[in-house]
PDB file of all heavy atoms in Angstrom:
ATOM      1  N   GLY W   1      -3.648  -6.612  15.649  1.00 98.00           N
ATOM      2  CA  GLY W   1      -4.482  -7.518  14.846  1.00 98.00           C
ATOM      3  C   GLY W   1      -5.325  -6.838  13.759  1.00 98.00           C
ATOM      4  O   GLY W   1      -5.984  -7.591  13.036  1.00 98.00           O
ATOM      5  N   CYS W   2      -5.117  -5.457  13.638  1.00 98.00           N
ATOM      6  CA  CYS W   2      -5.906  -4.774  12.676  1.00 98.00           C
ATOM      7  C   CYS W   2      -4.944  -3.983  11.897  1.00 98.00           C
ATOM      8  O   CYS W   2      -4.063  -3.277  12.361  1.00 98.00           O
ATOM      9  CB  CYS W   2      -6.824  -3.813  13.492  1.00 98.00           C
ATOM     10  SG  CYS W   2      -7.932  -2.778  12.355  1.00 98.00           S
ATOM     11  N   GLY W   3      -5.089  -3.989  10.505  1.00 98.00           N
ATOM     12  CA  GLY W   3      -4.282  -3.250   9.619  1.00 98.00           C
ATOM     13  C   GLY W   3      -4.325  -1.755   9.899  1.00 98.00           C
ATOM     14  O   GLY W   3      -5.347  -1.299  10.450  1.00 98.00           O
ATOM     15  N   ASP W   4      -3.353  -0.999   9.521  1.00 98.00           N
ATOM     16  CA  ASP W   4      -3.367   0.421   9.858  1.00 98.00           C
ATOM     17  C   ASP W   4      -2.543   1.224   8.730  1.00 98.00           C
ATOM     18  O   ASP W   4      -1.938   0.557   7.821  1.00 98.00           O
ATOM     19  CB  ASP W   4      -2.706   0.670  11.142  1.00 98.00           C
ATOM     20  CG  ASP W   4      -1.477  -0.131  11.397  1.00 98.00           C
ATOM     21  OD1 ASP W   4      -0.567  -0.068  10.508  1.00 98.00           O
ATOM     22  OD2 ASP W   4      -1.374  -0.867  12.421  1.00 98.00           O
ATOM     23  N   PHE W   5      -2.795   2.498   8.666  1.00 98.00           N
ATOM     24  CA  PHE W   5      -2.113   3.321   7.658  1.00 98.00           C
ATOM     25  C   PHE W   5      -0.504   3.259   7.711  1.00 98.00           C
ATOM     26  O   PHE W   5       0.190   3.319   6.783  1.00 98.00           O
ATOM     27  CB  PHE W   5      -2.454   4.722   7.662  1.00 98.00           C
ATOM     28  CG  PHE W   5      -3.734   5.050   6.819  1.00 98.00           C
ATOM     29  CD1 PHE W   5      -5.020   5.181   7.547  1.00 98.00           C
ATOM     30  CD2 PHE W   5      -3.700   4.930   5.465  1.00 98.00           C
ATOM     31  CE1 PHE W   5      -6.130   5.482   6.761  1.00 98.00           C
ATOM     32  CE2 PHE W   5      -4.872   5.237   4.785  1.00 98.00           C
ATOM     33  CZ  PHE W   5      -6.107   5.486   5.327  1.00 98.00           C
ATOM     34  N   GLU W   6      -0.022   3.003   9.018  1.00 98.00           N
ATOM     35  CA  GLU W   6       1.427   2.860   9.048  1.00 98.00           C
ATOM     36  C   GLU W   6       1.926   1.556   8.307  1.00 98.00           C
ATOM     37  O   GLU W   6       2.947   1.586   7.707  1.00 98.00           O
ATOM     38  CB  GLU W   6       1.804   2.856  10.524  1.00 98.00           C
ATOM     39  CG  GLU W   6       3.238   2.972  10.715  1.00 98.00           C
ATOM     40  CD  GLU W   6       3.764   3.076  12.319  1.00 98.00           C
ATOM     41  OE1 GLU W   6       2.850   3.122  13.092  1.00 98.00           O
ATOM     42  OE2 GLU W   6       4.874   3.255  12.513  1.00 98.00           O
ATOM     43  N   GLY W   7       1.093   0.539   8.620  1.00 98.00           N
ATOM     44  CA  GLY W   7       1.414  -0.749   7.971  1.00 98.00           C
ATOM     45  C   GLY W   7       1.469  -0.595   6.407  1.00 98.00           C
ATOM     46  O   GLY W   7       2.192  -1.084   5.629  1.00 98.00           O
ATOM     47  N   LEU W   8       0.282   0.150   5.886  1.00 98.00           N
ATOM     48  CA  LEU W   8       0.210   0.267   4.538  1.00 98.00           C
ATOM     49  C   LEU W   8       1.293   1.134   3.929  1.00 98.00           C
ATOM     50  O   LEU W   8       1.889   0.795   2.830  1.00 98.00           O
ATOM     51  CB  LEU W   8      -1.066   1.015   4.180  1.00 98.00           C
ATOM     52  CG  LEU W   8      -1.445   1.428   2.741  1.00 98.00           C
ATOM     53  CD1 LEU W   8      -1.356   0.202   1.842  1.00 98.00           C
ATOM     54  CD2 LEU W   8      -2.799   2.052   2.649  1.00 98.00           C
ATOM     55  N   ALA W   9       1.814   2.126   4.670  1.00 98.00           N
ATOM     56  CA  ALA W   9       2.879   2.951   4.197  1.00 98.00           C
ATOM     57  C   ALA W   9       4.186   2.064   4.097  1.00 98.00           C
ATOM     58  O   ALA W   9       4.986   2.302   3.190  1.00 98.00           O
ATOM     59  CB  ALA W   9       3.129   4.112   5.223  1.00 98.00           C
ATOM     60  N   HIS W  10       4.302   1.063   4.915  1.00 98.00           N
ATOM     61  CA  HIS W  10       5.569   0.208   4.920  1.00 98.00           C
ATOM     62  C   HIS W  10       5.507  -0.823   3.735  1.00 98.00           C
ATOM     63  O   HIS W  10       6.425  -1.558   3.464  1.00 98.00           O
ATOM     64  CB  HIS W  10       5.705  -0.485   6.240  1.00 98.00           C
ATOM     65  CG  HIS W  10       6.392   0.356   7.377  1.00 98.00           C
ATOM     66  ND1 HIS W  10       5.778   1.133   8.152  1.00 98.00           N
ATOM     67  CD2 HIS W  10       7.768   0.569   7.657  1.00 98.00           C
ATOM     68  CE1 HIS W  10       6.581   1.830   8.932  1.00 98.00           C
ATOM     69  NE2 HIS W  10       7.714   1.363   8.629  1.00 98.00           N
ATOM     70  N   ARG W  11       4.280  -0.936   3.246  1.00 98.00           N
ATOM     71  CA  ARG W  11       4.132  -1.930   2.112  1.00 98.00           C
ATOM     72  C   ARG W  11       3.906  -1.192   0.797  1.00 98.00           C
ATOM     73  O   ARG W  11       3.606  -1.847  -0.220  1.00 98.00           O
ATOM     74  CB  ARG W  11       2.982  -2.822   2.459  1.00 98.00           C
ATOM     75  CG  ARG W  11       3.335  -3.828   3.571  1.00 98.00           C
ATOM     76  CD  ARG W  11       4.428  -4.872   3.189  1.00 98.00           C
ATOM     77  NE  ARG W  11       4.765  -5.798   4.193  1.00 98.00           N
ATOM     78  CZ  ARG W  11       5.760  -5.575   5.090  1.00 98.00           C
ATOM     79  NH1 ARG W  11       6.526  -4.573   4.947  1.00 98.00           N
ATOM     80  NH2 ARG W  11       6.005  -6.520   6.013  1.00 98.00           N
ATOM     81  N   ILE W  12       3.921   0.047   0.726  1.00 98.00           N
ATOM     82  CA  ILE W  12       3.656   0.835  -0.424  1.00 98.00           C
ATOM     83  C   ILE W  12       4.659   0.560  -1.644  1.00 98.00           C
ATOM     84  O   ILE W  12       4.323   0.611  -2.821  1.00 98.00           O
ATOM     85  CB  ILE W  12       3.628   2.346  -0.191  1.00 98.00           C
ATOM     86  CG1 ILE W  12       2.886   3.015  -1.287  1.00 98.00           C
ATOM     87  CG2 ILE W  12       5.038   2.952  -0.063  1.00 98.00           C
ATOM     88  CD1 ILE W  12       2.475   4.445  -0.892  1.00 98.00           C
ATOM     89  N   ASP W  13       5.861   0.156  -1.289  1.00 98.00           N
ATOM     90  CA  ASP W  13       6.958  -0.066  -2.301  1.00 98.00           C
ATOM     91  C   ASP W  13       6.524  -1.438  -3.038  1.00 98.00           C
ATOM     92  O   ASP W  13       6.963  -1.663  -4.255  1.00 98.00           O
ATOM     93  CB  ASP W  13       8.338  -0.324  -1.769  1.00 98.00           C
ATOM     94  CG  ASP W  13       8.862   1.109  -1.316  1.00 98.00           C
ATOM     95  OD1 ASP W  13       8.432   2.093  -2.113  1.00 98.00           O
ATOM     96  OD2 ASP W  13       9.479   1.355  -0.331  1.00 98.00           O
ATOM     97  N   HIS W  14       5.824  -2.373  -2.336  1.00 98.00           N
ATOM     98  CA  HIS W  14       5.333  -3.496  -3.075  1.00 98.00           C
ATOM     99  C   HIS W  14       4.324  -3.183  -4.195  1.00 98.00           C
ATOM    100  O   HIS W  14       4.421  -3.616  -5.299  1.00 98.00           O
ATOM    101  CB  HIS W  14       4.588  -4.476  -2.065  1.00 98.00           C
ATOM    102  CG  HIS W  14       3.711  -5.482  -2.807  1.00 98.00           C
ATOM    103  ND1 HIS W  14       4.140  -6.527  -3.578  1.00 98.00           N
ATOM    104  CD2 HIS W  14       2.306  -5.619  -2.852  1.00 98.00           C
ATOM    105  CE1 HIS W  14       3.149  -7.244  -3.977  1.00 98.00           C
ATOM    106  NE2 HIS W  14       2.042  -6.674  -3.611  1.00 98.00           N
ATOM    107  N   LEU W  15       3.480  -2.180  -3.895  1.00 98.00           N
ATOM    108  CA  LEU W  15       2.522  -1.663  -4.979  1.00 98.00           C
ATOM    109  C   LEU W  15       3.248  -0.883  -6.064  1.00 98.00           C
ATOM    110  O   LEU W  15       2.866  -1.186  -7.163  1.00 98.00           O
ATOM    111  CB  LEU W  15       1.418  -0.703  -4.150  1.00 98.00           C
ATOM    112  CG  LEU W  15       0.716  -1.551  -3.150  1.00 98.00           C
ATOM    113  CD1 LEU W  15      -0.095  -0.549  -2.287  1.00 98.00           C
ATOM    114  CD2 LEU W  15      -0.245  -2.604  -3.833  1.00 98.00           C
ATOM    115  N   ALA W  16       4.158  -0.148  -5.630  1.00 98.00           N
ATOM    116  CA  ALA W  16       4.940   0.595  -6.718  1.00 98.00           C
ATOM    117  C   ALA W  16       5.726  -0.401  -7.563  1.00 98.00           C
ATOM    118  O   ALA W  16       5.722  -0.274  -8.891  1.00 98.00           O
ATOM    119  CB  ALA W  16       5.863   1.526  -6.096  1.00 98.00           C
ATOM    120  N   ASP W  17       6.283  -1.365  -6.980  1.00 98.00           N
ATOM    121  CA  ASP W  17       7.081  -2.401  -7.798  1.00 98.00           C
ATOM    122  C   ASP W  17       6.179  -3.183  -8.656  1.00 98.00           C
ATOM    123  O   ASP W  17       6.553  -3.710  -9.804  1.00 98.00           O
ATOM    124  CB  ASP W  17       7.866  -3.343  -6.804  1.00 98.00           C
ATOM    125  CG  ASP W  17       8.662  -4.345  -7.569  1.00 98.00           C
ATOM    126  OD1 ASP W  17       9.518  -3.927  -8.373  1.00 98.00           O
ATOM    127  OD2 ASP W  17       8.410  -5.553  -7.349  1.00 98.00           O
ATOM    128  N   LEU W  18       4.914  -3.500  -8.195  1.00 98.00           N
ATOM    129  CA  LEU W  18       3.941  -4.094  -9.107  1.00 98.00           C
ATOM    130  C   LEU W  18       3.503  -3.362 -10.289  1.00 98.00           C
ATOM    131  O   LEU W  18       3.164  -3.959 -11.290  1.00 98.00           O
ATOM    132  CB  LEU W  18       2.723  -4.489  -8.178  1.00 98.00           C
ATOM    133  CG  LEU W  18       1.547  -5.278  -8.760  1.00 98.00           C
ATOM    134  CD1 LEU W  18       2.088  -6.680  -9.209  1.00 98.00           C
ATOM    135  CD2 LEU W  18       0.456  -5.421  -7.800  1.00 98.00           C
ATOM    136  N   GLY W  19       3.578  -2.064 -10.215  1.00 98.00           N
ATOM    137  CA  GLY W  19       3.200  -1.158 -11.266  1.00 98.00           C
ATOM    138  C   GLY W  19       1.871  -0.492 -11.059  1.00 98.00           C
ATOM    139  O   GLY W  19       1.365   0.094 -12.071  1.00 98.00           O
ATOM    140  N   VAL W  20       1.315  -0.553  -9.890  1.00 98.00           N
ATOM    141  CA  VAL W  20      -0.046   0.078  -9.568  1.00 98.00           C
ATOM    142  C   VAL W  20       0.174   1.584  -9.809  1.00 98.00           C
ATOM    143  O   VAL W  20       1.183   2.127  -9.395  1.00 98.00           O
ATOM    144  CB  VAL W  20      -0.511  -0.191  -8.251  1.00 98.00           C
ATOM    145  CG1 VAL W  20      -1.676   0.495  -7.799  1.00 98.00           C
ATOM    146  CG2 VAL W  20      -0.673  -1.725  -8.082  1.00 98.00           C
ATOM    147  N   THR W  21      -0.791   2.266 -10.378  1.00 98.00           N
ATOM    148  CA  THR W  21      -0.768   3.709 -10.505  1.00 98.00           C
ATOM    149  C   THR W  21      -1.894   4.411  -9.748  1.00 98.00           C
ATOM    150  O   THR W  21      -1.857   5.633  -9.687  1.00 98.00           O
ATOM    151  CB  THR W  21      -0.813   4.126 -12.047  1.00 98.00           C
ATOM    152  OG1 THR W  21      -2.146   3.701 -12.515  1.00 98.00           O
ATOM    153  CG2 THR W  21       0.340   3.403 -12.779  1.00 98.00           C
ATOM    154  N   CYS W  22      -2.903   3.663  -9.347  1.00 98.00           N
ATOM    155  CA  CYS W  22      -3.975   4.225  -8.672  1.00 98.00           C
ATOM    156  C   CYS W  22      -4.437   3.314  -7.496  1.00 98.00           C
ATOM    157  O   CYS W  22      -4.856   2.108  -7.875  1.00 98.00           O
ATOM    158  CB  CYS W  22      -5.136   4.598  -9.619  1.00 98.00           C
ATOM    159  SG  CYS W  22      -6.618   5.283  -8.823  1.00 98.00           S
ATOM    160  N   LEU W  23      -4.524   3.773  -6.285  1.00 98.00           N
ATOM    161  CA  LEU W  23      -4.866   3.062  -5.096  1.00 98.00           C
ATOM    162  C   LEU W  23      -6.311   3.475  -4.844  1.00 98.00           C
ATOM    163  O   LEU W  23      -6.584   4.541  -4.590  1.00 98.00           O
ATOM    164  CB  LEU W  23      -3.965   3.247  -3.969  1.00 98.00           C
ATOM    165  CG  LEU W  23      -2.635   2.739  -4.075  1.00 98.00           C
ATOM    166  CD1 LEU W  23      -1.724   3.165  -2.874  1.00 98.00           C
ATOM    167  CD2 LEU W  23      -2.532   1.228  -4.337  1.00 98.00           C
ATOM    168  N   TRP W  24      -7.258   2.321  -4.688  1.00 98.00           N
ATOM    169  CA  TRP W  24      -8.587   2.590  -4.285  1.00 98.00           C
ATOM    170  C   TRP W  24      -8.675   2.082  -2.918  1.00 98.00           C
ATOM    171  O   TRP W  24      -8.634   0.809  -2.784  1.00 98.00           O
ATOM    172  CB  TRP W  24      -9.515   2.000  -5.195  1.00 98.00           C
ATOM    173  CG  TRP W  24     -10.888   1.555  -4.768  1.00 98.00           C
ATOM    174  CD1 TRP W  24     -11.551   2.133  -3.615  1.00 98.00           C
ATOM    175  CD2 TRP W  24     -11.751   0.642  -5.227  1.00 98.00           C
ATOM    176  NE1 TRP W  24     -12.766   1.555  -3.463  1.00 98.00           N
ATOM    177  CE2 TRP W  24     -12.920   0.622  -4.463  1.00 98.00           C
ATOM    178  CE3 TRP W  24     -11.760  -0.225  -6.367  1.00 98.00           C
ATOM    179  CZ2 TRP W  24     -14.045  -0.324  -4.632  1.00 98.00           C
ATOM    180  CZ3 TRP W  24     -12.772  -1.207  -6.518  1.00 98.00           C
ATOM    181  CH2 TRP W  24     -13.871  -1.154  -5.677  1.00 98.00           C
ATOM    182  N   LEU W  25      -8.904   2.889  -2.001  1.00 98.00           N
ATOM    183  CA  LEU W  25      -9.036   2.517  -0.521  1.00 98.00           C
ATOM    184  C   LEU W  25     -10.526   2.338  -0.201  1.00 98.00           C
ATOM    185  O   LEU W  25     -11.388   3.182  -0.399  1.00 98.00           O
ATOM    186  CB  LEU W  25      -8.436   3.576   0.418  1.00 98.00           C
ATOM    187  CG  LEU W  25      -6.939   4.008   0.161  1.00 98.00           C
ATOM    188  CD1 LEU W  25      -6.545   4.974   1.266  1.00 98.00           C
ATOM    189  CD2 LEU W  25      -6.071   2.771   0.190  1.00 98.00           C
TER     190      LEU W  25
END
């Protein structure tokens, strides 16, 4: 029920495809 770094890693290609160049956590 809580997001995690493993989940973020599995969705990182969405961010790359979007064109993001800097992630602010």
Side-chain angles (χ1 to χ4, degrees):
C2 178
D4 44 53
F5 273 109
E6 189 174 5
L8 177 54
H10 279 87
R11 291 293 181 263
I12 198 168
D13 287 322
H14 163 68
L15 299 168
D17 184 59
L18 184 60
V20 172
T21 64
C22 178
L23 297 175
W24 156 24
L25 303 185

